[in-house]
Amino acid sequence: VPLKVLLAEDNEVNQLLMQGMLAQRPGIQLLLAELPLPGLALAAQERPDLVLLDIQLPGIDGFEVLKRLRAGAATRHIPVVAVSANAMPADRQKATDAGFVDYITKPIELPVLLATVDRLLAG
């Protein structure tokens, strides 16, 4: 059974980049959501093992998406990693305080992404 990773990302270039990077893990099935609400629906339906969540999504930001994931019985236990271009320590702290299990900054570095995904999926 492949492990499911849901990527919520509205930028097509970032989607392709992430698909390419995660292709190095053949045991992962990547689920893609461009917008927050379809992403929430997909998470509830598919129950992914991990969510990679862009913080700057149109309409509803990543913090609100995380709140809604935590509020749902089907999704509250899924680890969620914040993905953001904001690399300041305060941004990272805000994400940790909100309940993100980790924080990856853009531009995404392959070793960082794979190490984070491997660690969280091994849990």
Side-chain angles (χ1 to χ4, degrees), residues 4-117:
K4 294 179 190 174
V5 174
L6 172 59
L7 172 63
E9 168 65 72
D10 62 314
N11 180 299
E12 196 179 345
V13 173
N14 289 337
Q15 290 172 8
L16 292 170
L17 185 69
M18 200 74 100
Q19 283 173 318
M21 289 181 172
L22 291 173
Q24 299 199 24
R25 294 294 183 265
I28 290 178
Q29 177 190 353
L30 185 63
L31 308 168
L32 193 58
E34 288 185 31
L35 296 170
L37 293 177
L40 286 164
L42 197 58
Q45 180 189 333
E46 293 288 336
R47 314 249 178 124
D49 299 286
L50 179 65
V51 174
L52 300 171
L53 179 57
D54 182 23
I55 296 294
Q56 288 86 23
L57 288 169
I60 305 171
D61 74 4
F63 289 97
E64 179 61 27
V65 172
L66 177 67
K67 233 183 264 178
R68 294 185 188 193
L69 286 168
R70 289 292 164 260
T75 55
R76 75 169 44 117
H77 303 298
I78 301 169
V80 183
V81 174
V83 181
S84 176
N86 299 333
M88 300 304 292
D91 297 312
R92 204 174 266 276
Q93 189 57 53
K94 182 181 175 195
T96 302
D97 293 346
F100 286 97
V101 295
D102 213 326
Y103 192 92
I104 297 177
T105 52
K106 297 176 184 179
I108 294 164
E109 296 173 34
L110 179 63
V112 173
L113 175 69
L114 293 180
T116 302
V117 168

